[in-house]
Amino acid sequence: MRRHNPSISTILLLMMLVACSEVINLRTEVEREKLDIYGRSTDGKAGYEVNLALTSPYNGNQEPVSEAFIALYEDGSQIARYIEYAPGQYRLLYPGDSAREGRSYELLVRLEDGTEYRSRPTVMPKAAARDELSFDA
């Protein structure tokens, strides 16, 4: 029987150990919660509401955000503010009854820690053709 040279066996063993190792870089950054701002405004009387919640990056659970200052701006001037009526739910205290066509609106949200979010100005579009429907009984 033939004996292997110990130096060749050692080299082969070392090559196998090196070839089987792989460096894995794990992301160790802590993912932060994200603020969800959901709102509605109309040119009718359906109401103006904003909901604020922090969404967990791990399981998607939402936690309401309370004590925020929320204001509505029309053509660059503050016209009203929202009042919290339930945890994370805000309703507009508005002097008028609806948004007006052709006017520009934006929303400002200021959290308790001072962080501010401001929407881009958006113009309330003109309504499509208005129509009525009635039935005679």
Side-chain angles (χ1 to χ4, degrees), residues 42-44 98-103 123-131:
T42 69
D43 62 349
S98 65
R100 295 180 282 181
E101 294 175 353
R103 298 289 183 123
V123 175
M124 178 62 74
K126 292 190 178 196
R130 296 193 185 254
D131 201 0

Side-chain angles (χ1 to χ4, degrees), residues 1 10 14 16 21 29 35-36 40 44 49 56 72 81 87 93-94 97-98 100 102 109 114 120:
M1 192 173 226
T10 305
L14 287 173
M16 283 179 34
S21 66
E29 300 169 7
L35 178 65
D36 286 333
R40 170 182 69 193
E49 294 185 357
S56 169
L72 180 66
R81 79 176 274 234
L93 291 178
Y94 189 63
D97 43 322
S98 65
R100 295 180 282 181
V109 175
R120 287 178 284 173

Side-chain angles (χ1 to χ4, degrees), residues 2-81:
R2 200 168 170 209
R3 283 183 57 122
H4 293 291
N5 187 348
S7 61
I8 292 177
S9 298
T10 305
I11 292 173
L12 288 174
L13 180 62
L14 287 173
M15 285 177 58
M16 283 179 34
L17 289 175
V18 172
C20 292
S21 66
E22 180 179 343
V23 176
I24 299 174
N25 291 324
L26 298 176
R27 273 182 36 181
T28 58
E29 300 169 7
V30 176
E31 295 209 22
R32 298 176 53 195
E33 296 174 316
K34 294 188 183 347
L35 178 65
D36 286 333
I37 302 174
Y38 172 78
R40 170 182 69 193
S41 62
T42 69
D43 62 349
K45 296 186 181 181
Y48 297 80
E49 294 185 357
V50 172
N51 297 326
L52 301 180
L54 287 173
T55 301
S56 169
Y58 304 108
N59 57 17
N61 288 345
Q62 291 191 328
E63 180 181 327
V65 175
S66 291
E67 304 296 322
F69 171 83
I70 304 175
L72 180 66
Y73 288 77
E74 180 182 76
D75 295 330
S77 298
Q78 181 180 331
I79 59 168
R81 79 176 274 234

